[in-house]
Amino acid sequence: KEMRKASVKLFTQRVGETFSYRKPSIFISHGLFGNSNNWRSPGKALGTKVQQNIVLVDMRNHGVSPHTTSHTYEDMAEDLLQVTTEYNNNIKLSHPDEQPTYQFSLIVHSMGGIAAMRVALSHGSKLDKLIIVDVAPLEHKVPVSE
């Protein structure tokens, strides 16, 4: 299923050393009420260990990313796809000699995991690896008390 074009430009921050762009960059995102700073220390350590570039992402309506009235998993999936595509396109322009890959990896927590699963279903060929931390893959209907 093709995703809608309702993306917003997400805030990203690179952490750690810069490594070859021939290996897929790893994008890490937080869960509900979190932000990209939650992953700064683990992201730096991971990048050094696996020798890959780490990009932290603030999901829409979180951290420094734009706040909108829409906050659906479809919107967040489109946002993730857009930020990874733009990042890889910018690398190709600025480092053409490295022949960068267009694939990317995602490490996502909770709410970010549900959005990432939608990316995997619609654009799985772009994913190198998908690591989902602490998420229930089912939609839960929670009664709201007034």
Side-chain angles (χ1 to χ4, degrees), residues 59-72:
M59 299 295 278
R60 71 171 50 210
N61 298 326
H62 291 79
V64 186
S65 284
H67 289 243
T68 67
T69 56
S70 181
H71 191 79
T72 67

Side-chain angles (χ1 to χ4, degrees), residues 14 17-25 50-53 87 91 95 97-101:
R14 281 256 307 106
E17 300 174 53
T18 300
F19 298 102
S20 171
Y21 293 105
R22 290 185 181 146
K23 292 171 99 176
S25 294
V50 299
Q51 303 282 293
Q52 286 177 259
N53 297 305
Y87 182 84
I91 289 171
H95 298 87
D97 53 314
E98 288 206 40
Q99 300 172 347
T101 178

Side-chain angles (χ1 to χ4, degrees), residues 35-103:
N35 65 57
S36 58
N37 288 329
N38 300 138
W39 286 93
R40 284 186 67 79
S41 292
K44 283 181 188 177
L46 176 66
T48 300
K49 181 152 183 89
V50 299
Q51 303 282 293
Q52 286 177 259
N53 297 305
I54 304 294
V55 182
L56 307 180
V57 179
D58 277 344
M59 299 295 278
R60 71 171 50 210
N61 298 326
H62 291 79
V64 186
S65 284
H67 289 243
T68 67
T69 56
S70 181
H71 191 79
T72 67
Y73 290 119
E74 291 84 4
D75 289 341
M76 290 184 282
E78 183 62 34
D79 295 344
L80 280 173
L81 187 61
Q82 183 66 27
V83 78
T84 56
T85 300
E86 282 182 13
Y87 182 84
N88 283 338
N89 285 342
N90 288 338
I91 289 171
K92 184 175 182 180
L93 292 173
S94 59
H95 298 87
D97 53 314
E98 288 206 40
Q99 300 172 347
T101 178
Y102 279 101
Q103 284 194 309

Side-chain angles (χ1 to χ4, degrees), residues 117-128:
M117 283 188 260
R118 291 182 182 266
V119 171
L121 289 171
S122 63
H123 292 83
S125 63
K126 293 185 178 187
L127 275 174
D128 179 53

